[in-house]
């Protein structure tokens, strides 16, 4: 678990898995030792067993090699399992923390990141770290033992032949790092282009009805094709460069092997080296070369992990600007003024650029209904978003029940408010599971009461399973009007002191809308209600109507006046 105000480091999550973090690399180190011993034993079989035609000697050392390989296999399985436990566990913990942290964001913080960007960082970048941790734990101890153990063995076999490493090692490292350096920026660019392509696809799928309504399928297809083509071109460049790496490495290694065989043959002829020693030397050389390539891959992987770490850290360094006060004011739920709302010279702007609400002054008493009307983008929703502290006012004060909203704990403040926003969103589950969101302890009677007010009871009661009727993801098995009525009911469950209906009856016919307003007025007469609408009919019965134009309050009065 990431500590508060601490910079994100994937290594800090590994502390939760101390045992496998220690055991895994140790097992891999033991596996490397067995890999180092086997070529030496093979040389003994050739030099002594085969040379002297000693079958017992061959069988003895052959059995030892088989046993070492079996033991090495079991040790490798343990090490790999430990690496999997740590890497998968760390990835799980990071994803949990990302999800938890993003859910603390206010609307202001969510405006800084697109949904696609957050998803890619929580999935793709975390997967990059998972793969990297697995590779590190499997190789961090194995490679040093394998490289240095093999080098020591080659020096013991023949010092002159071992000097070939002085020429091969730099060539391998130069080849690997040169190609990796060219690949790295392409990899980072690929993430950016993947974000863009995924965002286009997500936007298209979520707005597919709008796309079809305006016959924009071809336009959207072309836009996606262009973005996908850009991603494809970048990835092809990456893989073209990547495809050079292995053949180049093999060319260097096999060229060196040819030199080794030639020079080794000369050494055998003059008697300074035995045939088995040359074979084991080539085995050690191949092991060292492969280990060096793997080492370069780890360095590259670390670079990718740092890039992923930075992208994830960008999510964590953004802190919620809507915080609880150190000494919160307790809410008096029995107060007659609990539904009072007041705006005192309130101004609000997004990112401090231009005010969308200008010097709003308004007093609303418990039980009053306030209608807010204005053209699109005039700031209607911005006003109501200040009451539950989705955003904080740039200047001035917003008061609920006589206190500045900033003096309450955010959770307690929002428990006072039933909110139905512009886009009716239902979650996969049942009608009951959706309607108890505002009050998890709500009884069936509470739910039915809210359904009746929202004019949703008549169609819900027709379902054989009633409140347990299944809701598909996004509420796709309901009509637009049904979804709106269910989301209104969700806001009304438990009779909250304050209700905000933000253009939430746009899909209702006039008769149903009228019944809804009448039910709220009669069945929740002690509730302060804010109705945001572009329909004059929807707000004509309000106690006060606010007319807004470009953030300015043009008029506050009743419908009759």
């Amino acid at each position: 678990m990431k500590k508060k105000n601490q910079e994100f480091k994937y290594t800090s999550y590994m502390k939760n898995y101390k045992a496998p973090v220690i055991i895994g690399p140790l097992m891999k180190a033991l596996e490397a030792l067995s890999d180092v011993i086997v070529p030496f034993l093979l040389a003994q079989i050739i030099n002594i067993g085969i040379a002297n035609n000693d079958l017992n000697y061959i069988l003895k050392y052959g059995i030892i090699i088989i046993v070492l390989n079996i033991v090495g296999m079991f040790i490798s399985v343990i090490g790999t399992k430990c690496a999997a436990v740590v890497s998968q566990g760390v990835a799980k913990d990071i994803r949990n923390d990302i999800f938890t942290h993003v859910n603390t964001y206010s609307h202001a913080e969510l405006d800084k990141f697109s949904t696609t960007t957050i998803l890619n960082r929580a999935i793709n970048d975390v997967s990059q770290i998972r793969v990297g941790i697995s590779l590190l734990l499997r190789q961090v101890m194995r490679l040093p033992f394998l490289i240095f153990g093999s080098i020591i063995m080659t020096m013991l076999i023949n010092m002159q032949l071992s000097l070939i490493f002085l020429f091969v090692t730099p060539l391998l490292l130069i080849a690997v790092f040169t190609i990796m350096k060219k690949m790295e920026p392409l990899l980072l660019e690929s993430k950016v282009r993947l974000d863009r392509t995924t965002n286009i696809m997500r936007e298209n799928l979520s707005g597919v009805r709008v796309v079809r309504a305006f016959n924009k399928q071809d336009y959207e297809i072309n836009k996606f094709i262009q973005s996908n083509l850009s991603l494809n071109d970048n990835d092809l460049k990456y893989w073209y460069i990547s495809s050079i790496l292995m053949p180049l490495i093999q060319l260097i290694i096999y060229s060196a092997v040819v030199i080794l065989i030639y020079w080794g043959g000369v050494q055998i002829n003059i008697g300074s080296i035995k045939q088995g020693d040359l074979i084991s030397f080539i085995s050690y050389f191949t092991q060292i070369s492969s280990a060096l390539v793997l080492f370069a891959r780890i360095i590259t992987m670390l670079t990718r992990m740092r890039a992923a770490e930075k992208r994830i850290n960008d999510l964590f360094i953004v802190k919620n600007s809507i915080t609880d006060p150190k000494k919160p004011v307790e809410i008096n739920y029995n107060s007659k003024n609990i539904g009072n709302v007041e705006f005192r010279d309130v101004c609000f702007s997004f990112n401090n650029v231009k005010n969308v609400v200008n010097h709003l002054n308004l007093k609303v008493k418990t039980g009053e209904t306030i209608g807010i009307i204005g053209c699109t983008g005039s700031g209607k929703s911005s006003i109501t978003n200040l009451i539950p502290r989705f955003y904080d006012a740039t200047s001035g004060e917003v008061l609920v029940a006589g206190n500045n909203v900033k003096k309450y704990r955010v959770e307690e403040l929002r428990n006072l408010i039933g909110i139905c926003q512009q886009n009716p969103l239902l979650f996969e589950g049942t009608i009951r599971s959706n309607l108890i969101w505002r009050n998890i302890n709500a009884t069936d009677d509470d739910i039915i009461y809210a359904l009746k007010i929202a004019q949703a009871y008549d169609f819900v009661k027709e379902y054989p399973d009633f409140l347990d009727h299944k809701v598909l993801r996004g509420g796709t098995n309901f009509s637009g009007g049904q979804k709106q009525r269910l989301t209104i009911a969700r806001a009304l469950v438990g009779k909250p002191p304050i209700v905000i209906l933000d253009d939430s009856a746009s899909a209702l016919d006039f008769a149903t809308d009228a019944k809804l307003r009448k039910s709220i007025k009669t069945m929740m007469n002690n509730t302060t209600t804010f109705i945001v609408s572009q329909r004059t009919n929807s707000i004509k019965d309000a106690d006060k109507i606010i007319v807004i134009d470009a953030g300015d309050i043009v008029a506050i009065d009743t419908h009759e006046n």
Side-chain angles (χ1 to χ4, degrees), residues 161 259-273 278:
L161 281 178
I259 295 170
L260 273 175
I261 292 172
Y262 172 77
W263 185 249
V266 173
Q267 296 293 308
I268 290 171
N269 288 335
I270 64 175
S272 62
I273 189 173
L278 179 60

Side-chain angles (χ1 to χ4, degrees), residues 107 385 390 419-424 487 500-504:
H107 285 40
N385 282 337
F390 290 153
I419 303 169
C420 183
Q421 296 177 322
Q422 292 177 353
N423 298 319
T487 53
I500 297 172
L501 303 178
D502 187 355
D503 204 14
S504 53

